[in-house]
Amino acid sequence: MEEDIKELLKMDVQKVKGVGQARAKQLHKLGIYSVEDIITYYPRDYEDRSRLKKIGELVDGESCTFEGIIASKVTEHRFRKGLTMYKVLIKDETGAITATWFNQHYIGKVLKPGERYIFFGKISGKYRNLEVQNPVYEKLEDGIAKNVLKIVPVYPSTADLSQNTIRGVISNALDLVDGRLTEFLPEKILREYRLSEINYSVRQIHFPRSDEDFKNARYRLVFEELFILQLCLLSVKKAFENNNKGIEFSKVPEMEDFIKSLPFKLTDAQRKVFEEIERDMESSNVMNRLVQGDVGSGKTVVAAMALFKAVRNGYQGALMVPTAILAEQHYQLISSLMEPFGINTALLTGNQTKNQKNEILEGIRSGKIDILIGTHALIEDNVEFMKLGLVITDEQHRFGVRQRALLSKKGEAPDVIVMTATPIPRTLALILYGDLDISIIDQLPPGRKPVKTYAVDESMRERVNGFIRKEVSEGRQVYIVCPLVEESSEIEAKSAVQHAKDIAEKDFRDLKVGLLHGKMKSKEKEEVMKKFVEGEIDILVSTTVIEVGVNVPNASIMVVENAERFGLAQLHQLRGRVGRGKHQSYCILYSDGKTQVCRERMKIMQKTNDGFVISEKDLELRGPGEFFGTRQHGIPELKIANLYKDIDILKKAQEAALKLISEDRDLEKEENYGLKLKMMEILNEKLYNITMN
Ligand code: ADP
Ligand code: MG
């Protein structure tokens, strides 16, 4: 029997009653292929149609269920071509209500005077003028209703599949597997966390008998999903720790000299995080550490210190960043720090000449170059290190787990650091980067003044321009960020190209205006950036290419045009480009966005400079789906859990997973067998992306 159900779940969705080829095709569009897919296609919402009311009790504006007798013939009212309304009167002993439908030509054939139906729909009007538009109607058969008198699920759907159809298919699928799903959560966990049994949960999540049944079912399924995800992450991490003896770096006597040579004193947070890194580097396990720190917290020098340690141990180090501009900047800084110690640093980007490139590749192969900094060019096949011992990726969110792994493979179990400024709520970092240890630089260098932020509209433009002129006259520089590269007729957004032209010709004719966008050649981009760094450009108009990492401490104003088109996290990153030096800095957000979410975003930006607070809010305003965007983080999409709302369950699931692993490391006990199978299935199918080898 058990085998049967397993096979059944894997079978084509056409196995379900009522699903033929055509319907299967429609279901494919929703990502449903197998019987299992259909029963785990969870509702996005529910309609409570369970409470039957008398017509006399119906309330204006509410969606209600009521029973009545058809008290008139269906009448037809033609408004214009293609728009016909059908009308009928419904009565019970307490009152009457008019129901209307549009373009449902068969209504007159179905609803016959004298027949009794149950209806569900949104009520409008009062007393003698009660009305309901497009109500659901159903005749009881043997006292049983399908779509009324119950809590009805609402599914995410496409136009060609009606809710009724999906409901029917799911109901049939549930009947097919009825009561036969095997429980794979261990008895102990079910009891300890008071989780409902699987068959009950799956049925009740689709067709809950009551609110309470729904809550029980959801709790179990959310727990299950997060619990298994945690177990998978833990096992990936474990596999990594087991199989890979890492390099045992030793203490470097010159470390303190190197730190002293830095142009500033390290913050306590930087020291603390570097200590964590050192401990990892000196241990025999492979380091896998995420260094998180808000924009401007000083991650780069921490990376430099780790690189220094690796090189002094006789290894090479690599630092990979998402853009050529950033690579260039890191190269400038790091090579200047390394040079006095006789350490060779090289830069590798996509836009070097063949000769330059070959020389660098040769230097890496022979070991003449100690530290290589660059873009994706680093993971190309022709890059071969002599002895790679440390791999760092900066702005991790721009890279996939895959790319990180590719770089690691260029050495023999090198230590790995990933750095990111995309603040992720702490609890979420745990789940997203469950395969990594986490260090947080939770402090900014001293003397930083919070960036003053103002949300403004067009009416303020003159004043803002005056302010920009004043700052520039005092020697400061300005960024202006626009959402699009070129003017598009569809969306009215400031384009960088046009805007740069406009202001250079009008508002800021006397100032030096530069332009930077993603469609420019890398060489051009570098030249512009260089000019900005050297102060030859006063105002840099750009797209979001400057979003990550770029460091120009003299810039004191960040203007964002059409700020409503950016997410909160992105605005925070952009704002992080200023306030990096000793000057008071400002962020001006132009927005005409009138939506609630937009106003809310602007309010948050004005209120706080704390990246973590902002990321929490971002998640709340956008919902986790959008927050994670693609699957770049390497975790599968969640079917039911909501990482924002279900944090409490997440914590419990995490606790349970850790405990289970500590008791039965490889899930070898019989009671955990079902769970192990489930995990293997997920690891094989869905999480392949997260394994780091
Ligand atoms: P991020 O964490 O955003 O990558 P950076 O490493 O670019 O930050 O550092 C931001 C700025 O802060 C740089 O100008 C850097 O020189 C400076 N900085 C870093 N650490 C310190 C420190 N301990 N004291 C003063 N300034 C620092
Ligand atoms: Mg940085």
Side-chain angles (χ1 to χ4, degrees):
M1 203 60 179
E2 255 184 39
E3 274 314 302
D4 282 351
I5 183 71
K6 233 174 246 150
E7 279 168 30
L8 180 58
L9 288 172
K10 294 280 163 266
M11 282 185 186
D12 192 289
V13 66
Q14 290 194 42
K15 181 87 185 164
V16 178
K17 206 173 103 199
V19 183
Q21 248 177 18
R23 186 130 300 152
K25 259 205 186 120
Q26 296 168 334
L27 290 168
H28 291 174
K29 283 192 207 154
L30 300 174
I32 299 169
Y33 294 88
S34 66
V35 174
E36 182 168 26
D37 290 340
I38 188 90
I39 65 169
T40 56
Y41 194 71
Y42 299 125
R44 70 166 159 76
D45 203 359
Y46 299 85
E47 261 173 18
D48 189 351
R49 303 179 182 175
S50 64
R51 262 158 292 198
L52 192 63
K53 285 195 165 158
K54 296 285 178 208
I55 291 177
E57 298 168 332
L58 298 177
V59 182
D60 187 13
E62 267 181 24
S63 293
C64 302
T65 310
F66 58 94
E67 188 174 21
I69 291 175
I70 307 291
S72 75
K73 274 204 158 146
V74 174
T75 54
E76 195 179 305
H77 308 258
R78 196 175 293 248
F79 288 114
R80 54 180 157 80
K81 211 169 168 223
L83 188 67
T84 310
M85 184 174 81
Y86 298 87
K87 230 177 176 173
V88 78
L89 190 71
I90 302 159
K91 273 188 181 162
D92 71 0
E93 68 278 10
T94 64
I97 182 168
T98 306
T100 58
W101 289 268
F102 286 94
N103 290 351
Q104 301 201 9
H105 314 291
Y106 47 83
I107 284 282
K109 295 208 180 72
V110 180
L111 302 180
K112 294 278 158 57
E115 289 180 335
R116 179 177 287 274
Y117 279 89
I118 295 180
F119 299 87
F120 172 80
K122 192 166 171 188
I123 309 298
S124 59
K126 281 187 184 142
Y127 312 115
R128 289 183 190 288
N129 292 314
L130 277 175
E131 231 189 84
V132 60
Q133 263 187 23
N134 280 320
V136 175
Y137 55 91
E138 191 176 336
K139 209 180 209 174
L140 294 192
E141 275 174 38
D142 302 327
I144 298 172
K146 281 210 204 90
N147 292 307
V148 290
L149 294 182
K150 50 176 68 171
I151 300 170
V152 178
V154 180
Y155 294 94
S157 185
T158 50
D160 50 6
L161 268 172
S162 74
Q163 288 295 331
N164 274 352
T165 306
I166 301 190
R167 267 176 223 138
V169 171
I170 287 180
S171 170
N172 289 344
L174 288 176
D175 290 344
L176 191 65
V177 302
D178 195 35
R180 291 160 65 201
L181 298 171
T182 32
E183 181 58 78
F184 54 86
L185 290 181
E187 182 66 35
K188 240 166 65 183
I189 294 204
L190 288 175
R191 242 182 299 124
E192 184 170 350
Y193 293 93
R194 297 168 183 237
L195 305 174
S196 310
E197 189 271 335
I198 186 166
N199 286 286
Y200 162 89
S201 305
V202 169
R203 186 167 280 279
Q204 294 301 319
I205 198 71
H206 289 291
F207 301 107
R209 276 188 307 245
S210 70
D211 208 36
E212 180 148 351
D213 288 312
F214 161 71
K215 281 188 185 134
N216 288 338
R218 185 172 189 281
Y219 191 88
R220 182 231 145 90
L221 294 170
V222 169
F223 186 98
E224 167 195 317
E225 185 167 47
L226 297 172
F227 178 64
I228 291 181
L229 179 61
Q230 282 306 304
L231 284 176
C232 289
L233 289 165
L234 284 171
S235 89
V236 169
K237 187 171 171 176
K238 207 176 55 188
F240 205 70
E241 280 169 357
N242 272 349
N243 306 342
N244 293 282
K245 278 265 160 251
I247 305 160
E248 274 180 58
F249 293 95
S250 34
K251 283 248 175 295
V252 170
E254 282 171 287
M255 202 68 230
E256 277 308 312
D257 294 339
F258 183 74
I259 291 174
K260 274 199 202 105
S261 80
L262 297 173
F264 40 70
K265 204 169 146 274
L266 291 179
T267 63
D268 289 346
Q270 284 168 320
R271 272 200 181 269
K272 178 197 75 192
V273 168
F274 184 62
E275 269 166 29
E276 289 164 357
I277 290 172
E278 278 211 291
R279 210 176 311 136
D280 280 4
M281 288 180 79
E282 287 164 19
S283 97
S284 60
N285 290 334
V286 172
M287 166 165 67
N288 248 321
R289 187 165 283 280
L290 172 75
V291 173
Q292 241 188 296
D294 211 343
V295 276
S297 59
K299 291 183 289 295
T300 321
V301 291
V302 174
M305 283 148 61
L307 288 167
F308 183 82
K309 186 178 176 90
V311 172
R312 276 296 184 257
N313 270 272
Y315 287 87
Q316 290 169 299
L319 171 59
M320 182 164 71
V321 302
T323 66
I325 293 174
L326 191 54
E328 166 84 18
Q329 277 207 342
H330 278 5
Y331 170 74
Q332 298 289 351
L333 174 74
I334 292 175
S335 59
S336 75
L337 295 175
M338 299 295 166
E339 217 175 79
F341 293 87
I343 294 174
N344 274 325
T345 308
L347 175 69
L348 186 70
T349 58
N351 49 308
Q352 284 157 318
T353 66
K354 221 175 172 141
N355 280 344
Q356 284 175 316
K357 216 174 200 167
N358 283 338
E359 202 187 317
I360 293 167
L361 291 177
E362 179 47 37
I364 301 164
R365 219 172 290 132
S366 69
K368 215 179 93 201
I369 293 171
D370 303 304
I371 296 174
L372 183 64
I373 298 176
T375 55
H376 292 84
L378 261 55
I379 52 179
E380 271 166 31
D381 283 341
N382 55 8
V383 182
E384 289 167 38
F385 288 85
M386 189 185 79
K387 205 179 173 195
L388 182 62
L390 175 66
V391 162
I392 306 179
T393 50
D394 194 9
E395 308 299 347
Q396 154 71 10
H397 62 293
R398 290 295 184 95
F399 293 109
V401 182
R402 268 236 144 76
Q403 289 160 319
R404 204 202 312 161
L406 277 175
L407 186 56
S408 296
K409 268 176 146 173
K410 297 200 180 275
E412 240 173 84
D415 277 353
V416 174
I417 299 176
V418 300
M419 306 198 294
T420 182
T422 301
I424 297 160
R426 275 162 241 263
T427 35
L428 287 194
L430 273 175
I431 181 170
L432 286 177
Y433 297 111
D435 61 326
L436 300 173
D437 295 305
I438 298 174
S439 291
I440 300 178
I441 306 185
D442 52 6
Q443 182 184 26
L444 295 178
R448 288 277 168 78
K449 301 183 188 98
V451 178
K452 290 189 177 159
T453 304
Y454 304 92
V456 300
D457 59 21
E458 271 316 303
S459 69
M460 292 287 287
R461 195 163 291 273
E462 270 314 304
R463 280 183 66 183
V464 171
N465 285 350
F467 181 63
I468 289 175
R469 231 173 271 119
K470 177 177 150 281
E471 283 283 301
V472 172
S473 74
E474 285 168 18
R476 301 289 82 72
Q477 289 163 285
V478 179
Y479 293 101
I480 300 180
V481 173
C482 304
L484 289 176
V485 179
E486 263 155 69
E487 205 73 66
S488 134
S489 52
E490 288 159 67
I491 311 158
E492 219 186 281
K494 292 260 175 191
S495 84
V497 177
Q498 189 60 42
H499 194 60
K501 197 162 161 262
D502 286 351
I503 63 172
E505 284 168 5
K506 282 182 259 159
D507 298 332
F508 302 113
R509 221 173 327 165
D510 45 332
L511 303 181
K512 284 163 283 177
V513 176
L515 171 67
L516 187 73
H517 61 72
K519 291 201 179 144
M520 284 161 58
K521 294 226 174 64
S522 301
K523 260 234 143 58
E524 292 176 284
K525 278 192 265 186
E526 266 164 47
E527 266 161 35
V528 171
M529 208 53 222
K530 197 154 161 254
K531 278 189 184 165
F532 192 59
V533 172
E534 286 165 3
E536 279 176 46
I537 289 173
D538 300 314
I539 300 178
L540 182 63
V541 179
S542 117
T543 56
T544 50
V545 290
I546 54 134
E547 177 186 328
V548 287
V550 176
N551 191 34
V552 182
N554 189 50
S556 70
I557 303 182
M558 164 61 65
V559 178
V560 182
E561 300 284 347
N562 297 96
E564 71 279 356
R565 299 177 53 86
F566 297 89
L568 264 183
Q570 212 175 7
L571 289 175
H572 181 65
Q573 288 292 319
L574 288 171
R575 178 169 62 184
R577 296 308 113 218
V578 296
R580 301 173 80 86
K582 52 186 183 298
H583 316 286
Q584 173 62 54
S585 295
Y586 306 86
C587 175
I588 316 276
L589 304 171
Y590 277 109
S591 116
D592 292 325
K594 292 179 181 72
T595 66
Q596 179 65 27
V597 170
C598 174
R599 275 200 301 270
E600 191 81 10
R601 276 189 193 148
M602 297 308 139
K603 224 162 67 196
I604 293 157
M605 288 300 293
Q606 294 185 84
K607 224 166 56 190
T608 180
N609 267 278
D610 183 332
F612 283 103
V613 173
I614 288 174
S615 70
E616 298 265 4
K617 278 286 173 195
D618 200 25
L619 193 57
E620 188 181 336
L621 288 175
R622 286 206 276 176
E626 289 170 74
F627 185 81
F628 300 117
T630 66
R631 294 181 169 207
Q632 64 182 351
H633 292 289
I635 72 161
E637 266 162 53
L638 296 169
K639 284 196 159 208
I640 185 162
N642 174 315
L643 290 178
Y644 183 73
K645 291 192 194 123
D646 297 324
I647 287 289
D648 288 340
I649 309 181
L650 171 63
K651 284 183 191 151
K652 288 221 170 77
Q654 216 152 29
E655 169 199 293
L658 283 168
K659 203 159 131 217
L660 188 75
I661 291 289
S662 74
E663 288 165 4
D664 182 11
R665 207 180 135 80
D666 297 312
L667 299 186
E668 275 164 345
K669 290 190 190 162
E670 198 181 330
E671 68 208 49
N672 296 331
Y673 183 65
L675 192 57
K676 185 163 185 164
L677 286 183
K678 193 88 188 167
M679 265 177 66
M680 305 286 273
E681 201 178 291
I682 293 181
L683 278 172
N684 287 339
E685 275 177 27
K686 299 175 181 154
L687 273 171
Y688 71 93
N689 211 9
I690 208 164
T691 47
M692 302 185 56
N693 297 302

